[in-house]
Each structure stands twice: as structure tokens, then as C-alpha cells.
Amino acid sequence: MRKLFLTAFAIAAWCASAQAQEKNDYPKPEAMRPGMSEYWTPQPKVITPGDIKTNTAPSDAIVLFDGKDLSAWMNSNEGDAEWTVKNGVMTVDKSKGDIVTRQKFGSFQLHLEWCIPKGITGESQARGNSGVFLQDMYEVQILDCFQNETYVNGMTGSIYKQTPPLVNAMRGPGEWNVYDIIYTAPIFKEDGTYLYHPFVTVIHNGVVLQNHTEIQGTTEYIGFPRTVKHDDGPIRLQSHGDPSQPISFRNIWIRPL
Ligand code: MG
């Protein structure tokens, strides 16, 4: 009994000592103050946002088409771009093929406006087909999907043959559609496979069609997505071979991220 009592006494004494030591040796955390979770530098660069009314680009954007000329673009087979420029608008010339930007990009925010001509004819994919290729690899579809059904992973705003758009936000022929595309470039492993896939958010006429969508690989017309290691690449605008009337573009700018 005496032994048990001594043991209990020893344990109690040790606990009291430990508590005392903790109490004495370690300061309590300081009470949180608002300033403890705030930092002030570096301050983001001040820019001037674009003016929606006059279709101007933000002050830090690279203007790819301001209605005057195609100097930022070239024929995809080299040489100057030869699409038609008239009245501040450029129009696909199907006899000249795709055009690509002279400059190459990694991750970016891209703004472009496009218009399906009034009186467009054809159906499904053969009606105002074009597209914008991100880093020259991954197509975000452009198509007249106003009262024109097609396979859903080939609709406007689809990641072509991969991911359909969340909704159909098309404006009718003769009206201007607006794309705002936020793209994160992939990172590759040494063996050429993706460490991180590319991701894209597509906003069409102010409506989200793709919400940080993972891009599986190349956007093939025939076959499934392939993994092809690549570096920075240009923006490509598609001159599609369908027989419908060519579409037009205006007010294109990009902000590397
Ligand atoms: Mg297309």
C-alpha cells in the first residue's frame, strides 16, 4: 500500500513539474492581429483596362489585330498572312489557309471577337467552321452553333473532340461573338509525357463554357488525343475547308501570364 502511494505521489509530482516547466519555459503565441496576415509588397503593376465601348485592349496587352493590318500574323506555311482586311475586320480567305501569330506564347489570356456572316449556309460542322489553336496544338472550336446542331464535343467552345461546352451561348449570324480564353501551358517530363496537362477556361459572350478544363492532348479530327511534347507556340486561326461563307475576326489581343 505504501509502495502504491509513493508511486502515485511520484507520478503526480512529475506531472506538476512538467506543467510548471511548460508554463514557465514556453511563451504563449501572440494574439493574432489583422496586420499579421497582410503583406504589402510587391504591389501589382498598375495597368489601364480596356474600354469595352471602344474595343481597346488593356495597356499591357500585346495587340494581335487592331483592325488595321495583319503584321502580327503570318501564313502558316511562312510568308505574310493574306486574309482580307477591310473596315477594321479581318476575314478568312479559304484559298490561303490558316494564319499563325509571329510571336509564340506559353500561358496567356486571349481576347478575340468573331462573327458568322449573315446568310450563312450549311449545317453541322460545315457552317462557319473555324477555330483558335492554343500554342498551335489545342483547338477551341469556332462554329455557327446558332440553331445548328452538331456533335457536342465539336460545338463552339468545345475542346475539339474532347470536352463539350457547358452551354450554348451563341449570338446569331451578323452579330459579334466574344471569346476570352485563359490558358495554362503544360509542363512535360523528360520522356515527353505530361507532368501537368494544359488547362483552359473559355468565356463566350460573358458566359463560362469551359471551367479550368484539363486538355487531354492534341485535338485530332480523326483519332483520340495524343501527347506531343512542345514548347511555346503561336496562336493559330483556322481556315476550314467547309464550303460555307468565311467568318470574320476583330479586336484580338493577348496577355502572357
Ligand atoms: Mg474548327
Side-chain angles (χ1 to χ4, degrees):
M1 183 67 185
R2 186 168 181 270
K3 195 174 178 181
L4 188 64
F5 175 77
L6 286 174
T7 304
F9 180 79
I11 291 171
W14 181 83
C15 289
S17 163
Q19 277 178 352
Q21 192 175 29
E22 205 164 282
K23 196 173 179 183
N24 291 335
D25 292 348
Y26 300 107
K28 285 182 182 170
E30 267 190 70
M32 280 299 286
R33 287 176 283 109
M36 287 177 164
S37 52
E38 299 165 1
Y39 63 96
W40 287 68
T41 58
Q43 288 281 327
K45 185 178 159 190
V46 175
I47 67 151
T48 305
D51 184 339
I52 296 170
K53 288 179 194 156
T54 54
N55 285 338
T56 51
S59 61
D60 65 342
I62 297 166
V63 175
L64 297 175
F65 181 65
D66 64 359
K68 295 191 182 86
D69 60 59
L70 295 176
S71 55
W73 299 83
M74 53 192 283
N75 190 310
S76 61
N77 298 316
E78 291 191 352
D80 295 338
E82 297 177 284
W83 287 7
T84 310
V85 178
K86 197 175 170 186
N87 299 329
V89 168
M90 71 162 150
T91 301
V92 178
D93 184 333
K94 295 197 180 191
S95 70
K96 306 295 184 185
D98 297 354
I99 62 172
V100 294
T101 54
R102 293 184 188 279
Q103 196 168 338
K104 294 179 178 177
F105 303 98
S107 301
F108 55 76
Q109 172 190 358
L110 173 68
H111 175 97
L112 75 164
E113 301 174 18
W114 48 276
C115 182
I116 304 290
K118 267 186 182 171
I120 186 88
T121 56
E123 59 183 37
S124 186
Q125 293 284 304
R127 185 180 169 97
N129 198 329
S130 181
V132 51
F133 285 76
L134 318 176
Q135 291 196 303
D136 209 16
M137 299 295 292
Y138 313 110
E139 182 182 7
V140 174
Q141 177 68 303
I142 292 176
L143 186 74
D144 181 17
C145 285
F146 184 80
Q147 299 173 351
N148 174 44
E149 290 188 342
T150 189
Y151 45 90
V152 295
N153 58 349
M155 287 176 65
T156 276
S158 64
I159 312 306
Y160 185 67
K161 292 277 184 102
Q162 293 182 26
T163 311
L166 291 169
V167 292
N168 180 345
M170 277 295 300
R171 291 186 175 135
E175 294 186 78
W176 283 94
N177 287 272
V178 181
Y179 263 177
D180 287 289
I181 296 174
I182 298 118
Y183 172 74
T184 304
I187 297 173
F188 290 92
K189 299 179 196 168
E190 280 203 0
D191 67 4
T193 58
Y194 289 114
L195 177 62
Y196 298 111
H197 279 251
F199 282 85
V200 69
T201 294
V202 177
I203 300 170
H204 181 203
N205 298 330
V207 177
V208 173
L209 303 192
Q210 301 287 344
N211 181 14
H212 195 57
T213 301
E214 182 177 274
I215 298 175
Q216 300 302 314
T218 58
T219 47
E220 306 286 336
Y221 175 46
I222 299 172
F224 294 100
R226 293 183 302 126
T227 302
V228 178
K229 191 177 182 184
H230 61 86
D231 295 319
D232 288 358
I235 303 298
R236 174 183 291 262
L237 296 179
Q238 186 181 45
S239 166
H240 194 270
D242 75 85
S244 67
Q245 299 87 330
I247 80 163
S248 298
F249 294 88
R250 73 177 184 191
N251 194 25
I252 307 175
W253 50 261
I254 192 167
R255 297 180 62 250
L257 299 174

